[in-house]
Amino acid sequence: MYGLLCESLHDFIKESYGDDVWKLVREKADVRLHSFVTHQVYSESVIPRIAMAASGVTGTPYNELMNSWGVYFLGFVGKYGYDRILKVLGRHVRDFVNGLDNLHEYLRFSYPKVQPPTFFCQEESATGVTLHYRSKRKGYLHYAMGQLRQMGKQFYDTDIHVEVLSEQMLGDYSHVTMRLNFDNSAYRYIMKEDEEEQDILPIASDFFFEVFPFNIVFRQDMVVHNVGSGLSTVFPDLDGKKITDAFLLARPLVEFTWNMIISHPNNLFEIMSKEPVKRERNLHNRIQNSDYENANRSADVDVELMAFHSIIEEDYKDANSANAMESLGDGSRA
């Protein structure tokens, strides 16, 4: 849990209830820190302890407190300039909600260890959307609901009524289905555009594979039928295997199945190899000493080598790279 969230809760309690209440909350929650550093990682138990203590001290129901904190958070992040990012997530509410996962991917540049929830829109109509919310953290539903309501009011001047349809635990994460009811007139406009005939330029598969050397092609049976030239350098035996045998699905928080993949067209998918990436110290020499049929093939290998460097996060020109490799743990090799 990053300090940005902890500090926002700290500020919310102080501004809403005063310094004396914050002191009591801090003592009851057994939190010795007076404030938090935004980019520092804290224990996952800090926020639940503070929220429960604040609910007990102020007499405010826990869910109501979390909802109010969610509303407050959107104004709080404006201090750090993140409100400018939120404002450009979409022209309409539907665009904003569909882009929530992409927003969290952007934030990973500043907060690399962030563990964000997953949002997935379904059953959209002119009166709203059905939103699926999945998170490994428990107790944050009303916090997210407060954020969604405030987002509509602050950025789109739209009232959003949030109705929770179901809430269940699936494995180690919580899955909540909610209906966001609002004036979704933009949906009619998009539907009209989709109905209009559009010319689509054909792209040959060979050209596609050349442009995207890290592609993986698999079909409904989840068996890999093609691996890009860049990726095959790192995973030479991937072709013909089931993608689920070689990779785990890190994001979004859904089952790694064909139906789940095709039903999440607006989500960015992140997969992680089950086995460690092989780091051959003599890879550079092996490629340099190989015979190539023509200059184009040589250029392709150079691209593959650069790709390999980027994946293992090593610079083989550095004399200390071998030592650096030894110091990396297994977690960094996937």
Side-chain angles (χ1 to χ4, degrees), residues 5-25:
L5 285 176
C6 301
E7 184 64 11
S8 69
L9 181 56
H10 157 256
D11 282 14
F12 164 68
I13 294 173
K14 287 185 66 174
E15 290 188 20
S16 301
Y17 303 103
D19 288 341
D20 292 338
V21 170
W22 165 246
K23 290 177 182 178
L24 289 174
V25 169

Side-chain angles (χ1 to χ4, degrees), residues 180-228:
L180 307 186
N181 297 300
F182 60 93
D183 178 14
N184 193 20
S185 55
Y187 176 72
R188 299 190 188 97
Y189 175 76
I190 298 298
M191 287 294 291
K192 184 179 179 181
E193 274 194 338
D194 290 343
E195 291 173 358
E196 296 177 356
E197 186 176 351
Q198 298 180 6
D199 294 330
I200 301 176
L201 294 175
I203 298 178
S205 59
D206 289 343
F207 177 75
F208 182 87
F209 296 152
E210 182 180 351
V211 173
F212 299 102
F214 293 93
N215 75 81
I216 303 178
V217 178
F218 58 96
R219 298 173 183 165
Q220 192 167 356
D221 57 6
M222 302 296 280
V223 174
V224 176
H225 291 268
N226 187 81
V227 182

Side-chain angles (χ1 to χ4, degrees), residues 76-95:
F76 172 81
V77 294
K79 301 177 183 178
Y80 300 93
Y82 293 123
D83 58 327
R84 292 176 300 195
I85 301 172
L86 297 174
K87 288 177 182 177
V88 298
L89 271 185
R91 193 173 291 183
H92 308 286
V93 173
R94 66 179 302 275
D95 305 321

